[in-house]
């Protein structure tokens, strides 16, 4: 018999896989890191995330908003001013991204040495 706790764990696991599939790309991580603890307009995010196209930024911001990681606020001006802010869950994911960056810095030498062995 499946308990409520088992069903909740199964749902959480399924949701985690779906979210990780969405956010596990360099653009999403860079957008999350760029937003940090501040609110930015679309153009400010685009300027800060080097190399991202308008289309890719739009797709990633929509995905982050759909997953509850970014809040989008439209101000009724002409033209409309749109701002993006990380939500509390987005801030939590940012802490995880920061941890991953710390891990990379800690093991940079090991990673580069391993890659060097395969470069030839």
């Amino acid at each position: 018999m499946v308990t409520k706790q088992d069903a909740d764990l199964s749902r959480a696991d399924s949701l985690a896989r779906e979210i990780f599939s969405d956010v596990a790309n360099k653009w999403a991580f860079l957008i999350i890191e760029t937003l940090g603890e501040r609110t930015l307009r679309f153009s400010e995010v685009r300027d800060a995330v080097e190399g991202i196209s308008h289309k890719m930024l739009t797709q990633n911001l929509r995905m982050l908003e759909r997953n509850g990681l970014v809040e989008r606020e439209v101000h009724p001006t002409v033209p409309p001013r749109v701002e993006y802010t990380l939500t509390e869950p987005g801030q939590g994911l940012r802490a995880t991204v920061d941890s991953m960056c710390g891990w990379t810095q800690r093991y940079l030498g090991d990673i580069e040495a391993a890659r060097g062995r395969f470069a030839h």
Side-chain angles (χ1 to χ4, degrees), residues 9-77:
L9 286 173
S10 178
R11 253 186 26 251
D13 183 55
S14 176
L15 183 59
R17 290 172 193 249
E18 188 179 318
I19 290 172
F20 292 153
S21 175
D22 281 349
V23 301
N25 74 73
K26 73 175 182 178
W27 297 124
F29 283 164
L30 290 171
I31 292 166
I32 289 167
E33 196 57 35
T34 297
L35 286 173
E37 295 182 18
R38 55 195 176 151
T39 298
L40 295 175
R41 296 175 70 168
F42 182 92
S43 60
E44 294 171 320
V45 178
R46 187 188 62 228
D47 293 346
V49 179
E50 193 173 315
I52 194 167
S53 68
H54 184 94
K55 178 182 177 182
M56 193 56 62
L57 179 57
T58 299
Q59 288 174 350
N60 275 273
L61 284 169
R62 285 181 183 159
M63 174 273 298
L64 292 168
E65 184 181 11
R66 182 179 61 249
N67 283 306
L69 303 172
V70 167
E71 183 178 285
R72 177 179 182 264
E73 185 175 357
V74 180
H75 298 277
T77 59

Side-chain angles (χ1 to χ4, degrees), residues 53-113:
S53 68
H54 184 94
K55 178 182 177 182
M56 193 56 62
L57 179 57
T58 299
Q59 288 174 350
N60 275 273
L61 284 169
R62 285 181 183 159
M63 174 273 298
L64 292 168
E65 184 181 11
R66 182 179 61 249
N67 283 306
L69 303 172
V70 167
E71 183 178 285
R72 177 179 182 264
E73 185 175 357
V74 180
H75 298 277
T77 59
V78 178
R81 190 177 85 230
V82 182
E83 296 178 328
Y84 298 89
T85 308
L86 287 182
T87 61
E88 185 177 337
Q91 288 291 346
L93 182 57
R94 179 175 171 246
T96 301
V97 171
D98 287 346
S99 293
M100 291 172 63
C101 291
W103 172 87
T104 304
Q105 290 172 350
R106 180 176 178 186
Y107 294 105
L108 182 63
D110 298 281
I111 295 166
E112 287 177 335

